[in-house]
Amino acid sequence: MVGQAVTTRGVVTAVYATGGLNGYHVQTPGTGGELDPGAHDASEAIVVHSPDTVGTVRPGQHVEVTGAVVEYHGQTRISVRADGLRVLDEPAEAVKPAVVGCPAEEAEREDLEGMLLDPAGEFVITDNYDLNRYGEIGLAAGTTPLVQPTAVGAPGSPEAAAQAAENEARGVLLDDGATTDYGNVANAAIPLPYLSRETPMRIGAPVDFVAPVVLSYSFDAWRLQPT
């Protein structure tokens, strides 16, 4: 469908008007809630990239968007111009966050791409290296951080391959809903996301989600974006 013009309707679940993403997520009314990722076979949401309209929408609105389907760094989205958005007056059933654990299979993640989630189960911090650069924190589903594959076996060994597969199944990034480079001197005055004296973001620390997130994919990584 890449390159085709499409029209779709849905409820706005997240808006990223600042920070560089310039878009919002739209999901089919009434979807979400309790679901089984293994039985859920298609995403009910889409990313809308629209610098022209992102400042005019808000979460909870029922909208119709028209634009071209594009792929950007692995993310499927609709590119919408100023005349491609229509805010609808007709009521729409609210979207519920899907209560799911971290899907281990790539196909299961694709079937949830763009959707509003309430992550279930335990997560811990496994990587904070890019927190002070791109506002990203590596998370691992479960109670233990991920392990470097070569810490359990020689490069190319079955043990290292098995650990790499486990890391793929358990790992996901917590992003900050922006593309800001905090390492750039021009952004030095912008506070880092998530980090504070009360939340030092140490490796192995448990994670408590206090608000829903949306699942996205870009730059070769699955990400949880704040709402």
Side-chain angles (χ1 to χ4, degrees):
M1 293 185 66
V2 173
Q4 294 184 14
V6 297
T7 297
T8 189
R9 292 183 173 192
V11 175
V12 178
T13 58
V15 179
Y16 305 103
T18 61
L21 291 182
N22 294 319
Y24 43 98
H25 287 240
V26 172
Q27 186 167 328
T28 303
T31 57
E34 299 284 347
L35 57 82
D36 176 7
H40 183 79
D41 59 3
S43 173
E44 288 144 336
I46 189 67
V47 177
V48 177
H49 180 252
S50 182
D52 292 334
T53 67
V54 66
T56 65
V57 298
R58 64 181 186 274
Q61 284 184 321
H62 189 201
V63 300
E64 179 182 273
V65 293
T66 299
V69 178
V70 299
E71 286 280 339
Y72 181 76
H73 290 286
Q75 181 187 76
T76 302
R77 61 194 195 183
I78 301 175
S79 180
V80 173
R81 297 181 177 178
D83 60 354
L85 168 70
R86 194 159 65 95
V87 178
L88 304 174
D89 293 328
E90 60 193 80
E93 186 178 351
V95 170
K96 308 173 190 67
V99 183
V100 294
C102 183
E105 300 295 330
E106 185 80 3
E108 292 180 356
R109 296 188 182 197
E110 290 178 355
D111 291 341
L112 295 169
E113 185 176 359
M115 292 180 61
L116 191 67
L117 304 183
D118 180 8
E122 296 179 292
F123 290 81
V124 297
I125 296 173
T126 192
D127 179 9
N128 57 17
Y129 183 79
D130 276 333
L131 175 57
N132 68 343
R133 183 68 188 273
Y134 297 115
E136 301 170 352
I137 301 172
L139 304 183
T143 59
T144 58
L146 305 181
V147 177
Q148 286 290 343
T150 51
V152 299
S157 68
E159 294 81 5
Q163 185 62 54
E166 178 183 329
N167 291 353
E168 286 288 329
R170 294 177 54 214
V172 66
L173 289 178
L174 175 61
D175 211 336
D176 66 340
T179 60
T180 304
D181 180 354
Y182 297 95
N184 189 313
V185 65
N187 300 320
I190 303 176
L192 291 174
Y194 307 118
L195 188 64
S196 71
R197 291 182 182 274
E198 293 73 29
T199 56
M201 298 298 147
R202 295 190 177 98
I203 303 302
V207 174
D208 181 24
F209 290 94
V210 298
V213 294
V214 290
L215 179 65
S216 70
Y217 184 86
S218 61
F219 296 96
D220 301 318
W222 287 100
R223 303 165 185 272
L224 301 175
Q225 300 283 9
T227 59

